[in-house]
């Protein structure tokens, strides 16, 4: 079997027309959606993500403000900026790019964002609402994965879903969304004893471990749907290319559907950030 490709790039492009229409409608009502993106430090991957997020805003007609700080900035400076953005009527969404430098209390920074502007959905209040099945904002990466499944006719109801990775950004919210969609969910992680025995049971396998080409064909059930959330850069001696957590070339012979890297989940994460920002502006404008 050769798997069908879950094309996140094409789906994100399809969604753009709807975003443009909604952003333009808001702008005519003097509520043009606005996103502030804060980047602390010089992490090359974060710089690329932030650049892509700002460019996607421009393409959709969303106002964006990029705020960049050196790695040694005081946490109080960033907290003061967030407080100003919370009160800024031009801004409907605030995103602090993660990871933050080690001297930051990451959760304290995320909690400083007004929950109604927390378009990442990482504030404890929003994570709590998601856990209870009444989300205000769905974290962008798992939201994008759910959209990709739906757009390709994959219904998680009654299926075995296995997630590899337990991060606050992906693994945990992904588990909640799949539980609410009716899947039987297993969350595996670095301490899981026999990983392959779990992954081989998966009808839907979500790879979010942050380890290049970690999921190999022998770990995948024939006919499974495999979603690759990893974005890893191979070392220069291995070509320096981007690759996911899934060994795409072998897994595509076993799975029925597989998402590529790049061009899979990444573009959908950005699309869902735009969706959440527009949603925030629509709520503020009273529809
Ligand atoms: N770093 C990696 N993924 C994300 C994300 O979805 N949001 C933020 N803020 N930082 C990230």
């Amino acid at each position: 079997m050769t798997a069908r490709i879950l094309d996140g790039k094409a789906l994100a492009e399809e969604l753009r027309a709807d975003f443009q229409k909604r952003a333009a409608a808001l702008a005519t009502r003097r509520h043009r959606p606005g996103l502030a993106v804060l980047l602390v430090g010089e992490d090359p991957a974060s710089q690329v993500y932030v650049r892509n997020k700002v460019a996607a805003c421009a393409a959709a007609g969303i106002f964006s403000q990029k705020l960049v700080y050196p790695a040694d900035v005081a946490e109080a400076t960033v907290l003061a900026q967030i407080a100003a953005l919370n009160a800024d009527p031009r801004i409907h969404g605030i995103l602090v790019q993660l990871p933050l430098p080690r001297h930051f209390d990451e959760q304290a920074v995320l909690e400083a964002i007004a929950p109604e502007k927390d378009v990442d959905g990482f504030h404890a209040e929003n994570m709590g609402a998601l856990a209870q099945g009444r989300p205000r904002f769905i974290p962008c990466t798992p939201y994008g994965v759910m959209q990709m499944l739906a757009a390709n006719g994959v219904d998680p109801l009654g299926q075995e879903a296995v997630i590899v990775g337990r991060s606050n950004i992906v693994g945990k919210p992904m588990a909640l969304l799949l539980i609410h969609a009716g899947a039987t969910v297993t969350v595996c992680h670095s301490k899981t004893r026999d990983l392959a025995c779990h992954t081989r049971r998966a009808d839907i396998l979500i790879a979010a471990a942050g380890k290049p080409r970690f999921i190999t064909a022998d770990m995948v059930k024939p006919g499974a749907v495999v979603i690759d959330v990893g974005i890893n850069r191979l070392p220069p001696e291995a070509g320096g290319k981007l690759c996911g957590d899934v060994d795409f070339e072998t897994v595509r012979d076993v799975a029925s559907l597989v998402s590529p890297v790049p061009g899979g989940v990444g573009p959908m994460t950005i699309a869902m950030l735009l969706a959440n920002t527009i949603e925030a502006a629509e709520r503020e404008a009273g529809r």
Side-chain angles (χ1 to χ4, degrees), residues 15-34 56-63 92 274-275 277-279 281-282 285:
L15 294 172
R16 193 183 305 139
D18 174 60
F19 297 154
Q20 287 168 336
K21 205 167 79 190
R22 288 163 67 194
L26 283 159
T28 60
R29 297 169 60 201
R30 300 185 158 276
H31 288 281
R32 185 181 183 200
C57 281
I62 295 173
F63 168 69
H92 304 90
L274 305 185
T277 303
I278 293 169
E279 175 75 27
E282 286 173 346

Side-chain angles (χ1 to χ4, degrees), residues 106-120:
E106 199 162 273
Q107 202 54 38
V109 171
L110 297 176
E111 304 295 305
I113 299 171
E116 64 276 11
K117 295 192 178 187
D118 170 36
V119 285
D120 258 330

